[in-house]
Amino acid sequence: LAFTWLIRGMSGLFCVWCNLSMTSAFAKALDLSDTSLHATVLTTSANFVITGLVGWLFLRETINLMWILGIILIILGASLC
């Protein structure tokens, strides 16, 4: 029972750390970009791509043709900004 609470606590802290890291990266991107649109589009696109790859690597989610086409469209859309 104590081990379960330890794992939950560590998972919660990791979640908070990830959110703080993303917020910090977004703030830095806002500071470095010309407009807030660039920072928003790039961080959102990176979030989708990284989330998909982490799901594939660690959760054994399948990557099909629709997923690949979606990622390509996200990257192409981000490059238009």
Side-chain angles (χ1 to χ4, degrees):
L1 184 65
F3 182 71
T4 303
W5 284 104
L6 177 67
I7 295 297
R8 285 184 183 187
M10 289 174 60
S11 297
L13 288 175
F14 182 68
C15 183
V16 169
W17 177 79
C18 286
N19 283 319
L20 289 174
S21 297
M22 187 63 184
T23 302
S24 174
F26 181 65
K28 189 179 290 188
L30 281 173
D31 188 42
L32 295 174
S33 66
D34 295 333
T35 65
S36 62
L37 176 65
H38 290 109
T40 303
V41 168
L42 289 177
T43 54
T44 303
S45 300
N47 188 12
F48 282 123
V49 173
I50 292 169
T51 301
L53 292 176
V54 167
W56 175 69
L57 285 172
F58 296 110
L59 302 176
R60 296 182 181 162
E61 293 182 357
T62 58
I63 293 180
N64 54 22
L65 182 61
M66 187 69 75
W67 188 88
I68 293 170
L69 290 175
I71 292 299
I72 289 171
L73 288 174
I74 289 172
I75 292 171
L76 287 174
S79 68
L80 293 176
C81 279

